[in-house]
Structure formats: structure tokens, C-alpha cells
């Protein structure tokens, strides 16, 4: 497990027709086995003036503290307190994030063609803050090793694939990663990672709030499956496990300025230790699209517990 470097000639100036089927299949397989696919030169380069705009945004809009989310379904940017910024700057930020999302999707439609776009476009984000020394509550810290699970967006077994760009002009983005889920999960005693019989508090609260708001019909989308409950608990369990944080197997990576990478963050434990200015787009890939489904967290958990979890 580790990193697979994709040679630039395999993705720059090469169209879908020129990509051999065996090659694209191998890339999906490598991802599903828990490797990072690394692009030394990003296939999604930003225009020079857009890049400069993003790098100086923080100084021009005082309220910009955290990661900004781009929600493609609603075509909306959230998390940006752009009160200090003018309408033109807000619009420009929106346009840049929208284009990034569309360009990554277009690229992956071809680069990961075996998946045939059987995915749901999830949030994108711009990460303007220096990651080193951020003060966040423990469960929200990204400098602790974890697998990803979204508290408010259960996936019901769909896989979390994330595509990143390091936009920083000079600094690397530094990650550590650990053994993938299929190697890691069996190392813990079943009671440590036992599946809860009950829905989690958050799901119940969310469900109650949704009913109160007359949103009973949207409930199925909010409801977590036992799989989602497990993945959320496992995320917390890893971050709270001091022994794993200190002694778990790990490898270190430095992603240079101008590079991109992608990885299944639901299966590869990861942490970002340093770096500033990144763009990211998330996809929820249908479980049916997997080429090597036996490596998926869902398959691993189902075989460990002997139960259907979605
Ligand atoms: C994460 O998913 O933990 C964040 C990674 C990053 O921002 O580089
Ligand atoms: Fe993460």
C-alpha cells in the first residue's frame, strides 16, 4: 500500500480514447486497494489570476476563517462569511469553486471510466487555513489519523473518494496515512468497534427536527444505516485512541505545490499535519461500481459481523 505516481503523459493531453482499458481498470483497482493516486502536475490547473485571487482572499475578507464548502446540488458556497467582501468577490469565489468541481468531474469521467460516473457528486471545498497548529475540538481535528465519515451525510455503503489540489505557491501539504481498513479493522477486538443496536443520538435529533419541520418525507436520506453508524463511530474511535495515534503504522507524504492526489478516505486512515490552501472535491461512488468490492469497508464489516449492514 502507498502511493502510485501517475506519469503526466498518462493524463495531460490524452483523451479518453487513448487510454487503454487495462490501464484505467488498474487505476480503479489501486485506489480500491487503498493506494493514493498522485499526479505530480495537477490535471486541474487554475488560471493564474484565479489562483492569485484564492491566495489573497483571506486578507481581503476578514471573516474568512474556515473551510468553505461548495455544494454542487444547490450550486451554493457556504462557510464563507464574506460580509467584508464585495459582491464581485463572492461571485468570483463561487465561479471558481463551481468550475473546479465541474473540471474534476469531467476529468474523472474519463480517467476513472470503469466507474461510468456511477457516483453522487458530494461537496467540494477550499481550505485556506494553515493546518499546522489549528485549534479544533478533538473529533473535528484533521491532524489526528482517521477514516472519513460525514455526520450529516450517511452514504449507505457508497465509497468516499476525494480529489485534492495543493494550491500553495511554495509549501507542500503534509499527510500521514496508515494501513487501510481491511488490514486495520480486524486488529481491534470486536467489542471495541461493536456495532450499535440503536440509532445514534445525532440521527435521532436530526430526525426529530426534520419531523418538526414537516420534513418527514426527506427522512430516508438523513437516516444512517448500521454501516454509517459504524463508520462514524470508527472515525471517533481512531481519533480518540491515543495508542493508535502514537503507535499505529504510518507513512508520511509531502504533496508539492501544483500537484493533485486522490484517495478513498473512508478506507485509508489519514491526517494532514501541515499545509495551506487546498481545493478538494468529494464523490460518493456507488458500491456496485467497485472493481474489487472485497476491500470495501462494507464488505469487510459484513464479513466480520456476519450481518447485512445496509
Ligand atoms: C481530511 O480529510 O482529513 C483533510 C485532509 C486535508 O485537508 O488535506
Ligand atoms: Fe479526513
Amino acid at each position: 500500500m502507498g502511493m502510485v505516481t501517475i506519469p503526466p503523459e498518462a493524463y495531460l493531453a490524452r483523451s479518453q480514447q487513448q487510454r487503454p482499458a487495462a490501464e484505467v481498470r488498474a487505476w480503479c483497482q489501486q485506489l480500491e486497494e487503498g493506494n493514493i493516486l498522485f499526479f505530480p502536475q495537477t490535471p486541474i490547473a487554475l488560471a493564474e489570476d484565479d489562483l492569485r485571487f484564492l491566495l489573497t482572499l483571506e486578507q481581503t475578507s476578514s471573516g474568512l476563517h474556515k473551510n468553505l464548502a461548495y455544494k454542487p446540488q444547490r450550486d451554493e458556497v457556504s462557510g464563507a462569511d464574506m460580509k467584508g467582501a464585495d459582491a464581485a468577490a463572492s461571485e468570483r469565489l463561487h465561479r471558481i469553486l463551481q468550475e473546479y468541481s465541474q473540471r474534476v468531474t469531467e476529468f474523472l469521467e474519463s480517467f476513472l471510466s470503469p466507474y461510468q460516473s456511477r457516483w453522487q457528486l458530494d461537496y467540494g471545498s477550499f481550505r485556506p487555513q494553515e493546518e499546522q497548529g489549528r485549534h479544533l475540538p478533538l473529533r473535528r481535528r484533521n491532524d489526528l489519523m482517521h477514516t472519513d465519515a460525514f455526520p450529516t451525510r450517511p452514504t449507505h455503503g457508497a465509497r468516499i473518494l476525494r480529489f485534492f489540489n495543493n494550491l500553495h505557491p511554495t509549501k507542500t501539504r503534509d499527510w500521514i496515512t496508515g494501513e487501510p481498513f481491511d488490514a486495520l479493522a480486524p486488529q481491534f477486538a470486536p467489542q471495541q468497534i461493536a456495532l450499535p443496536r440503536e440509532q445514534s443520538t445525532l440521527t435521532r435529533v436530526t430526525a426529530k427536527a426534520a419531523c418538526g419541520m414537516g420534513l418527514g418525507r426527506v427522512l430516508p436520506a438523513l437516516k444512517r444505516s448500521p454501516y454509517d453508524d459504524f463508520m462514524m463511530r470508527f472515525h471517533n474511535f481512531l481519533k480518540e485512541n491515543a495508542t493508535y495515534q502514537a503507535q499505529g503504522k504510518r507513512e508520511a507524504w509531502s504533496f508539492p505545490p501544483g500537484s493533485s492526489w486522490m484517495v478513498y478516505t473512508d478506507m485509508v486512515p489519514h491526517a494532514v499535519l501541515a499545509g495551506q490552501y487546498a481545493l478538494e472535491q468529494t464523490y460518493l461512488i456507488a458500491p456496485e461500481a467497485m472493481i474489487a468490492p472485497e476491500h470495501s469497508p462494507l464488505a469487510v464489516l459484513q464479513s466480520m459481523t456476519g450481518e447485512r449492514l445496509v
Side-chain angles (χ1 to χ4, degrees):
M1 278 332 96
M3 185 148 99
V4 175
T5 300
I6 311 292
E9 59 273 19
Y11 59 91
L12 298 176
R14 215 205 241 187
S15 76
Q16 168 62 19
Q17 282 70 27
Q18 295 164 302
R19 282 195 185 117
E23 188 176 86
V24 282
R25 226 184 129 76
W27 289 330
C28 292
Q29 174 100 23
Q30 284 155 345
L31 278 174
E32 291 176 35
E33 287 171 355
N35 293 291
I36 298 173
L37 296 195
F38 171 61
F39 304 88
Q41 266 172 273
T42 182
I44 319 291
L46 263 60
E48 201 51 53
D49 56 334
D50 285 345
L51 183 58
R52 212 170 319 116
F53 171 80
L54 289 182
L55 299 181
T56 53
L57 195 57
E58 225 169 352
Q59 290 113 59
T60 53
S61 62
S62 55
L64 191 61
H65 295 306
K66 42 178 188 174
N67 299 344
L68 309 184
Y70 173 64
K71 303 179 175 174
Q73 266 84 10
R74 297 196 211 151
D75 190 22
E76 165 186 298
V77 177
S78 71
D81 180 358
M82 298 283 285
K83 281 190 206 83
D86 53 46
S90 300
E91 245 165 66
R92 185 165 188 188
L93 173 66
H94 181 184
R95 199 256 307 149
I96 294 172
L97 296 184
Q98 181 190 50
E99 275 181 16
Y100 178 75
S101 173
Q102 287 169 354
R103 288 178 59 204
V104 176
T105 302
E106 219 168 276
F107 174 68
L108 295 185
E109 276 166 5
S110 130
F111 190 83
L112 299 179
S113 56
Y115 289 156
Q116 298 179 310
S117 309
R118 284 175 290 177
W119 57 55
Q120 189 188 319
L121 189 56
D122 195 65
Y123 295 175
S125 63
F126 173 51
R127 298 155 180 254
Q129 281 223 315
E130 171 55 55
E131 298 293 340
Q132 189 168 22
R134 275 181 85 162
H135 292 287
L136 289 168
L138 185 132
R139 287 182 176 181
R140 292 187 48 215
R141 280 175 58 180
N142 281 339
D143 60 338
L144 294 171
M145 291 274 269
H146 64 282
T147 46
D148 283 346
F150 305 133
T152 57
R153 301 190 322 281
T155 77
H156 299 268
R159 306 294 313 279
I160 301 175
L161 179 69
R162 305 185 102 168
F163 186 98
F164 290 87
N165 273 49
N166 180 8
L167 300 185
H168 199 287
T170 56
K171 277 176 59 178
T172 56
R173 195 168 187 87
D174 300 336
W175 276 31
I176 47 175
T177 59
E179 290 177 281
F181 193 88
D182 50 350
L184 187 63
Q187 294 170 24
F188 296 106
Q191 62 270 28
Q192 279 179 290
I193 56 171
L195 294 157
R197 296 285 145 212
E198 234 195 308
Q199 278 183 10
S200 68
T201 315
L202 181 79
T203 313
R204 274 186 269 120
V205 170
T206 313
K208 216 170 151 194
C211 287
M213 283 151 51
L215 297 175
R217 276 178 299 119
V218 305
L219 267 184
L222 289 172
K223 229 183 206 157
R224 284 193 203 149
S225 61
Y227 169 76
D228 294 296
D229 269 329
F230 176 88
M231 295 304 283
M232 200 62 243
R233 282 163 53 106
F234 195 62
H235 163 275
N236 298 339
F237 169 76
L238 290 181
K239 284 188 177 173
E240 288 162 358
N241 186 330
T243 312
Y244 175 68
Q245 294 297 330
Q247 290 164 23
K249 279 192 195 158
R250 59 180 60 194
E251 284 178 286
W253 314 104
S254 289
F255 302 108
S259 68
S260 275
W261 61 101
M262 68 174 148
V263 60
Y264 275 114
T265 55
D266 54 357
M267 82 182 296
V268 178
H270 57 282
V272 55
L273 303 186
Q276 190 179 11
Y277 304 118
L279 278 175
E280 170 267 338
Q281 176 61 51
T282 300
Y283 298 84
L284 304 179
I285 317 272
E288 301 76 36
M290 294 295 110
I291 282 172
E294 68 278 12
H295 295 290
S296 73
L298 179 61
V300 171
L301 288 171
Q302 292 193 152
S303 91
M304 277 172 77
T305 59
E307 288 181 47
R308 275 179 65 90
L309 301 173
V310 291

